[in-house]
Amino acid sequence: MTIRLLDPAAARVPADTDAELEELSREIHVPAATLKAKVEALHEFNPMLGHRGCRLAITFPEIYDMQCGRSWKPLAN
């Protein structure tokens, strides 16, 4: 089995419009302003040179923790 981690497209965000951002903020109980700030912080002019692979894990280690946990939890059951 191969599990591929740490290659999300950081240039793609889960909400493209303000309305989608507001809806997402309600669903995950995070203020829309906080989400908007994170989206702006992740914006890349050239995604091929930006946060990809292990550099993303260095900046945001919680992504790696989440991916590993979600990968191994079903196997433990």
Side-chain angles (χ1 to χ4, degrees):
M1 170 185 358
T2 301
I3 298 174
R4 188 174 181 197
L5 301 175
L6 294 177
D7 199 16
R12 297 188 68 208
V13 295
D16 292 325
T17 65
D18 287 339
E20 290 174 337
L21 194 68
E22 290 288 337
E23 182 180 342
L24 178 61
S25 75
R26 285 190 300 274
E27 289 177 14
I28 64 173
H29 308 291
V30 174
T34 302
L35 290 178
K36 190 168 188 162
K38 183 60 81 175
V39 167
E40 290 171 0
L42 289 173
H43 176 74
E44 298 173 336
F45 292 102
N46 184 347
M48 291 299 128
L49 298 176
H51 277 99
R52 295 192 57 88
C54 65
R55 289 193 305 162
L56 184 64
I58 292 167
T59 306
F60 303 104
E62 64 271 15
I63 293 174
Y64 193 63
D65 291 341
M66 180 271 307
Q67 288 182 336
C68 289
R70 296 257 166 80
S71 298
W72 293 109
K73 188 176 181 180
L75 295 174
N77 294 331

